[in-house]
Amino acid sequence: MLNRSAYKHYYLMLLPGLLWLFFFNLLPMYGILMAFKDFNPGLGIFKSEWIGLDNFTYMFELDDSKQVFKNTVFIALLKMIGNLIFPLVFALMLNEVRNRLFTRSVQTIVYLPHFLSWVIVAGIMLDILSYSGPVNQIFSVFGVEPTLFFANANLFPWLVVLSDVWKEFGFAAIIYFAALTSINPEMYEAAAIDGASQFKRLISITLPSILPVVVLLGTLSLGNILNAGFDQIFNLYNPSVYSTGDIIDTWVYRAGLLDMQYGLATAVGLLKSVIGLFLISVSYGLAYRFANYRIF
């Protein structure tokens, strides 16, 4: 057994991370006091007047807050479903291709969007779906009137989900590829000898073998149900789609930094964090129960 001196270099390697965690995550937490105060920037956090839960009460009285919570959950749920199904279907289809050069080439191409920032992806999307963009030009050939896609409140949530799935499905499929490679090939050989078709092997061997991974990813994603993606929506939305595209994070940004309602914005952010902590705890409990997944 090594003595404590042998671990000194481990402690030194750990120190920068702990300092970063303290100064940028723990120390700023005193700012949550603003949720319980009538915050006045001239007086500061500690000298501003205590108002108890008034900010939370006011938050629930606002029609905007109810719509924002609804938008957040709706978009996040669609993203969870899309990011669970599309990578799985893509991995299963590509796994059936026997040309390894083609498979690796396709994998590399679909990984690339993951490494692009939402600023770049949003610029591409806005150009493609603009009033004079290529999509509207193609539609005009068939006599369809041009559409402002990102100014349509009914289309906006679906465009957000589709762009998120397009950006992330290639990278998300890595886990499914790893699970598929762990399946014993002798099972496929035995099934082929018994006369099982390719579809039958998919249903009877492939899907049951990777089902624990699917359940694990599905349950863990429940913890992010209130994270609909600030970077993405902030770069894509505009006032004409606030009714369906405004989520908690973007609403907090506008209420706090633009409208200077610091206490209200902090109250909404704090409520989101508390609900998020509860959901993460539940999702880890479900992952442990159904997939035997544990961090510690």
Side-chain angles (χ1 to χ4, degrees):
M1 182 176 179
L2 297 177
N3 54 37
R4 288 191 174 185
S5 61
Y7 291 98
K8 282 183 179 178
H9 56 288
Y10 291 117
Y11 295 141
L12 288 175
M13 291 172 63
L14 190 62
L15 186 60
L18 291 176
L19 291 175
W20 180 88
L21 185 68
F22 176 75
F23 284 108
F24 292 97
N25 289 78
L26 297 180
L27 193 60
M29 286 190 69
Y30 78 90
I32 63 175
L33 291 175
M34 286 193 290
F36 306 98
K37 290 196 169 192
D38 183 14
F39 179 69
N40 184 335
L43 297 176
I45 295 177
F46 295 105
K47 292 184 179 179
S48 296
E49 181 186 359
W50 285 96
I51 57 172
L53 299 176
D54 286 0
N55 280 325
F56 293 91
T57 305
Y58 180 58
M59 173 184 68
F60 285 111
E61 292 174 348
L62 291 173
D63 291 334
D64 284 354
S65 60
K66 298 181 182 65
Q67 187 62 43
V68 163
F69 273 101
K70 179 182 174 183
N71 293 343
T72 304
V73 173
F74 180 68
I75 292 174
L77 273 176
L78 289 180
K79 282 186 175 181
M80 285 168 51
I81 296 171
N83 286 320
L84 195 65
I85 294 177
F86 281 90
L88 174 62
V89 173
F90 171 72
L92 290 174
M93 292 175 65
L94 202 59
N95 189 56
E96 298 300 323
V97 178
R98 296 299 168 227
N99 188 327
R100 290 302 160 195
L101 178 61
F102 175 80
T103 303
R104 291 173 183 173
S105 301
V106 172
Q107 287 181 19
T108 303
I109 292 171
V110 297
Y111 291 163
L112 293 179
H114 170 76
F115 299 101
L116 299 176
S117 72
W118 272 115
V119 177
I120 297 174
V121 175
I124 296 172
M125 296 291 296
L126 291 171
D127 283 341
I128 292 176
L129 298 175
S130 66
Y131 198 77
S132 58
V135 174
N136 272 321
Q137 289 182 3
I138 294 173
F139 284 170
S140 65
V141 174
F142 300 98
V144 180
E145 291 293 327
T147 303
L148 287 172
F149 291 97
F150 282 103
N152 187 321
N154 294 323
L155 290 177
F156 186 79
W158 301 100
L159 293 175
V160 167
V161 174
L162 288 175
S163 59
D164 184 71
V165 170
W166 171 77
K167 185 175 182 297
E168 300 296 341
F169 86 95
F171 192 81
I174 292 175
I175 298 175
Y176 294 119
F177 284 126
L180 289 170
T181 56
S182 66
I183 300 174
N184 188 350
E186 293 181 356
M187 296 171 66
Y188 290 109
E189 295 172 3
I193 293 173
D194 290 340
S197 64
Q198 199 167 12
F199 181 74
K200 188 68 176 178
R201 279 175 273 170
L202 172 67
I203 298 298
S204 304
I205 298 175
T206 306
L207 286 180
S209 298
I210 65 172
L211 186 60
V213 177
V214 178
V215 173
L216 174 63
L217 295 179
T219 52
L220 290 181
S221 65
L222 290 175
N224 292 319
I225 198 168
L226 292 183
N227 289 322
F230 172 81
D231 292 345
Q232 179 191 15
I233 293 180
F234 181 75
N235 285 288
L236 287 173
Y237 82 158
N238 56 74
S240 61
V241 296
Y242 279 172
S243 60
T244 58
D246 204 14
I247 60 172
I248 294 176
D249 292 329
T250 54
W251 189 85
V252 168
Y253 164 77
R254 288 189 294 107
L257 295 182
L258 301 184
D259 298 337
M260 293 187 288
Q261 301 183 70
Y262 302 108
L264 178 62
T266 307
V268 176
L270 179 60
L271 181 63
K272 178 199 167 188
S273 300
V274 172
I275 297 175
L277 177 63
F278 171 75
L279 292 174
I280 288 174
S281 303
V282 171
S283 65
Y284 274 104
L286 293 173
Y288 174 67
R289 179 178 178 81
F290 294 107
N292 197 28
Y293 173 79
R294 297 180 65 180
I295 297 177
F296 303 105

